[in-house]
């Protein structure tokens, strides 16, 4: 049983444990692999409009996502989200649950569309998952991501209209 | 004769005169039409890596552009630029000159590609100009821009690899 609820400051230690290895790996998010805990808190908690955590029946934090406007005022009806699931909790549908939750959250906040700006092309699981959630690859950015293991790889812009 | 040189603080008044009506119109840039001078200075001068001005033989400022990384660390080899030409100086090739200058500047700063994130589809002159400069429309974002006269319109992601 997964529950998704707003992030509280007491969740930071668990959240940092989840997002740190993903940032350190440098294979899916553009943040520096050497990002500090303070910078990560800024990026994941302070800059976004809201941050959420996914917790299981024992209240352990197993995933997290943020939501924010993707552009200033005249583009602020399109939101951007980022999602990370704890390594040990992958393959259980938590990312899908967070994606669905974020779409409802986006609508309730008045957003009309959701855009992912830099979906790393080699992150095939994520691409498949977002497609299942109704997102389309609307653009390919050649060599736009410096993958820490594979070098320069393409990235996708993915987009979904939530209201038409 | 147009010369393009780095922005200096003494250029701000002239630069603000050029960019203000464009922001106020709300037809090409996502900034709020009500953006304050201070916010505009932050967005155009403080946040970017560098800002430039195009001046004519009488040293009047007729255009301006900024350059900055489009993403954090692992996407920071792709830059983003924004260009604005004074209304009275349009149609003289100043935007093209600034675009060429920005590509040289990008290379000298180590960028490998340039990306425009939100080219308003109704801004046909700009789209044509960037295409002539070798940029491709790599994606279309449905209804991603709230045009102040036309309502929600599509926007393009445009991209050019400067090094392959």
């Amino acid at each position: 049983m997964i529950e998704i609820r707003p992030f509280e400051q007491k969740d930071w230690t668990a959240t940092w444990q989840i997002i740190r290895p993903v940032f350190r790996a440098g294979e899916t998010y553009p943040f520096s692999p050497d990002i500090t805990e303070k910078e990560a808190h800024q990026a994941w908690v302070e800059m976004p409009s809201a941050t959420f955590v996914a917790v299981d029946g024992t209240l352990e934090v197993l995933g997290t996502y943020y939501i924010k406007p993707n552009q200033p005022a005249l583009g602020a009806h399109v939101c951007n989200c980022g999602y990370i699931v704890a390594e040990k909790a992958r393959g259980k549908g938590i990312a899908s649950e967070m994606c669905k939750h974020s779409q409802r959250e986006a609508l309730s906040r008045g957003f009309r569309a959701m855009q992912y700006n830099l979906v790393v092309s080699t992150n095939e699981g994520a691409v498949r998952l977002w497609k299942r959630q109704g997102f389309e690859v609307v653009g390919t950015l050649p060599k736009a991501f410096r993958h820490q293991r594979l070098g320069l790889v393409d990235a996708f812009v993915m987009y979904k209209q939530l209201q038409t």
Side-chain angles (χ1 to χ4, degrees), chain A:
Chain A
M1 277 292 295
I2 293 296
E3 185 205 353
I4 296 169
R5 61 161 174 80
F7 171 91
E8 300 167 33
Q9 287 308 326
K10 70 174 169 62
D11 299 317
W12 172 247
T13 301
T15 300
W16 174 231
Q17 297 300 320
I18 291 172
I19 67 179
R20 182 177 54 192
V22 171
F23 295 169
R24 292 282 179 265
E27 301 185 358
T28 51
Y29 278 83
F31 302 114
S32 169
D34 300 321
I35 191 169
T36 66
E37 182 172 353
K38 185 160 176 271
E39 289 165 339
H41 188 271
Q42 281 171 352
W44 203 263
V45 175
E46 295 168 46
M47 305 256 300
S49 308
T51 304
F52 292 83
V53 291
V55 298
D56 66 4
T58 71
L59 303 183
E60 187 179 7
V61 176
L62 296 177
T64 178
Y65 83 87
Y66 71 77
I67 183 167
K68 66 181 179 191
N70 197 45
Q71 291 284 353
L74 303 183
H77 57 289
V78 180
C79 66
N80 168 251
C81 293
Y83 314 82
I84 297 181
V85 175
E87 198 162 351
K88 67 174 181 183
R90 295 194 186 151
K92 296 179 177 180
I94 297 175
S96 295
E97 286 307 309
M98 290 199 294
C99 185
K100 282 180 201 161
H101 188 277
S102 69
Q103 293 178 58
R104 291 193 299 272
E105 189 66 28
L107 282 170
S108 78
R109 288 171 180 266
F111 292 111
R112 301 173 68 108
M114 192 178 289
Q115 181 174 336
Y116 305 146
N117 298 303
L118 197 72
V119 180
V120 181
S121 59
T122 51
N123 192 2
E124 293 171 11
V127 174
R128 202 161 45 231
L129 198 157
W130 310 143
K131 283 183 178 170
R132 272 205 305 267
Q133 294 283 332
F135 286 77
E136 280 181 69
V137 172
V138 295
T140 299
L141 308 170
K143 301 184 182 179
F145 186 79
R146 190 180 298 278
H147 191 290
Q148 289 305 90
R149 200 163 36 83
L150 303 174
L152 292 176
V153 298
D154 296 352
F156 301 131
V157 179
M158 298 189 74
Y159 195 88
K160 181 178 179 179
Q161 291 190 74
L162 304 173
Q163 290 186 338
T164 49

